[in-house]
Amino acid sequence: MEKALLDNAALSKEKQELLRRLLAQKAEKARNAQMPNGSAGRILPVPRADSGQALPLSLGQQRLWFIDQLEGQGIGEPSAYHIFGAVRLHGELDETALQCALGTIVARHEVLRTRFEPGAGQAKQVIAAELPFDLGRTDVGLESQVPSLARAEAQRPFDLAHGPLIRGRLLRLGGQEHVLLVSMHHIVSDGWSVGVLIQELQVLYAAFSAGKPNPLPPLALQYADYAAWQTQRLQGQALQGELAFWKAHLQGAPALLDLPTDRPRPAVQSHRGDSVKLVLDEALVRQLKAFTRKHDATLHMVLYAAWTVLLSRLSGQDDVVVGTPVANRLRTEVEPLIGFFVNTLALRLQVWADEDVASLLARVKAQTLAAYGHQELPFEQVVEALNPPRSLAHGPVFQNMFVLQTRPRGRWQLPGLEMQALELPQQTAQFDLTLALEEQGDRIEGTLNYATDLFEPATVARWAGHLEALLQAMVHDDTQAVGALPLMREDERWRVLQSFNEAGEAYPAEQLVHGLIEAQAVRSPDAVAVTDAGRSISYAELNARANQLARTLR
């Protein structure tokens, strides 16, 4: 019953999040009931870690630290795991209040004062007692310099062993024009954390600019407490139960989704990337929401189903694994923390061409709910348990992501200032393809991020159009077979079948194409028949080659 409630698209996002937490608490009580310390039925709080002991990395941090070690050897793109934000400020800026607000946030959150020292076999966290926030300042003469300066700041590498892992820079364009740049390494932050930072910065700046003291209450926990609790908790029977689910879910899944690339896959992925934008208009979004209500599903499930069908059709594979992130903050005490909590679920779907859309969606719903019921096990441990073939050319288990942003982004609002977020082109790609969508009013907007080592922008833009066509077809008729869903919109289909094939004259219906070419070779043997990349061949040569191929085939 709880799962049915959780998946009800008519519920608000806040109620869905509450139900997820209740389900997590129910599972926690079941685990605690097996403990011999008399705590059955109670949800045990996350305890404070022993600061006198070496502090372990969380399981997610361990993987990012390992990736950073590879990047130190020239493998990969370091900025692929940077979290960067830029905002334009217009008005009277109190630079002192801004500096103090950012410094207070670093003082509040130990994770922002953490560095990662190599140890015996693995790294350990070292937390500095104090770490002043250095807000660099740069006077900018020309507006046109802002994008290049922002890009350079976003790509500047972090040193995990020495820190700091958060930095800022204020670009001064004039008396009332500034651009604030803030960068963090992913090992100490995630998308939710950005919202926490923005919210605290607003409160602190408003207080400090008015000459008031810090109004934020002290934090009851720090990220290091969570990391120590997580590593101790996921052991024994609890760990084995989670591993058993994911092993069964992913057993026999293909190691690589072989999409048709524009260029050969390099031996080592560089993580260089770019993005194309896509928008689902108001009419389609209304249809999608009605479709979710009809099938008692969520928007995430419908969009994920369409994305997986598209990947299946493009690759020719009927077994597809797609990664999707979860905030993984099901306990209320960790919600106010900045840190790396986000987890990734590997959702596997077998796409059957003769199955109708409604049946496919029912399977997606069941499999998604099952995966969310086991979301606490870090993806890193899933990979370790599966031990899939490893390659520097692509990621393990999946190479494609689907993201639907449901938590509202933090909005920049500082007193006395007009603010506008600056969007910079994304020049990195952690995966081959990442579809990232977000509800914006009555529309759904997003990007299709891609690895430039593999794909051309025109290819990815065409695939974005295919996704829209698939969604249109799915909501139009849920009884049609999945294999019959069109990839082209009607205007694109007409262009390919009609416009591209328009001829200046009618050709005789009784003759075949090869016969027409043979006749042309007799009439004009030296005329150019085909041109490609600066090379040309005549009709006589084309006919001779065709006959040679025909004889070989025969």
Side-chain angles (χ1 to χ4, degrees), residues 95-355:
E95 290 190 28
T96 301
L98 179 63
Q99 172 82 57
C100 291
L102 290 166
T104 301
I105 292 172
V106 173
R108 276 173 58 78
H109 296 274
E110 290 180 354
V111 72
L112 299 180
R113 293 182 273 119
T114 300
R115 56 190 176 87
F116 300 87
E117 286 188 351
Q122 60 181 7
K124 63 179 180 179
Q125 298 192 53
V126 178
I127 302 171
E130 293 183 359
L131 184 65
F133 185 86
D134 181 19
L135 179 62
R137 292 164 171 84
T138 301
D139 293 325
V140 180
L142 298 173
E143 174 75 25
S144 59
Q145 294 177 291
V146 171
S148 60
L149 289 171
R151 196 155 34 245
E153 185 68 15
Q155 295 175 348
R156 188 156 59 95
F158 287 99
D159 185 343
L160 299 192
H162 297 92
L165 302 181
I166 180 173
R167 60 173 178 250
R169 181 161 296 278
L170 188 65
L171 306 181
R172 296 163 163 167
L173 285 84
Q176 293 196 330
E177 296 291 334
H178 299 79
V179 175
L180 175 63
L181 312 175
V182 177
S183 303
M184 293 181 283
H185 195 283
H186 204 350
I187 202 169
V188 298
S189 186
D190 57 17
W192 183 300
S193 300
V194 173
V196 173
L197 185 146
I198 291 174
Q199 182 181 18
E200 291 190 355
L201 180 60
Q202 292 175 162
V203 172
L204 293 169
Y205 179 88
F208 295 159
S209 62
K212 297 179 181 179
N214 175 7
L216 295 176
L219 294 170
L221 283 176
Q222 293 290 338
Y223 184 80
D225 302 322
Y226 165 80
W229 170 80
Q230 182 198 50
T231 55
Q232 293 171 5
R233 179 173 176 274
L234 287 174
Q235 297 179 12
Q237 188 174 352
L239 175 62
Q240 294 307 314
E242 297 290 299
L243 287 174
F245 170 82
W246 288 108
K247 284 182 178 179
H249 179 64
L250 296 170
Q251 191 67 42
L256 175 66
L257 187 70
D258 193 14
L259 292 170
T261 61
D262 295 310
R263 284 179 286 277
R265 183 180 296 274
V268 178
Q269 54 184 338
S270 71
H271 294 293
R272 289 187 293 268
D274 203 345
S275 297
V276 299
K277 293 185 177 181
L278 69 159
V279 177
L280 306 181
D281 62 25
E282 294 91 335
L284 178 54
V285 172
R286 283 196 302 271
Q287 291 176 309
L288 284 169
K289 291 185 175 180
F291 190 72
T292 62
R293 290 191 293 270
K294 175 182 177 181
H295 292 277
D296 191 26
T298 63
L299 193 58
H300 182 284
M301 293 173 184
V302 175
L303 294 170
Y304 157 69
W307 176 237
T308 307
V309 169
L310 176 59
L311 293 176
S312 174
R313 295 277 288 275
L314 292 174
S315 65
Q317 297 173 223
D318 58 9
D319 196 351
V320 180
V321 181
V322 174
T324 192
V326 288
N328 200 28
R329 299 197 188 214
L330 297 174
R331 300 180 63 104
T332 55
E333 62 261 52
V334 303
E335 290 184 359
L337 300 183
I338 290 175
F340 181 41
F341 292 89
V342 66
N343 193 17
T344 304
L345 304 183
L347 302 181
R348 180 185 185 184
L349 182 64
Q350 292 175 313
V351 181
W352 303 324
D354 57 352
E355 183 180 32

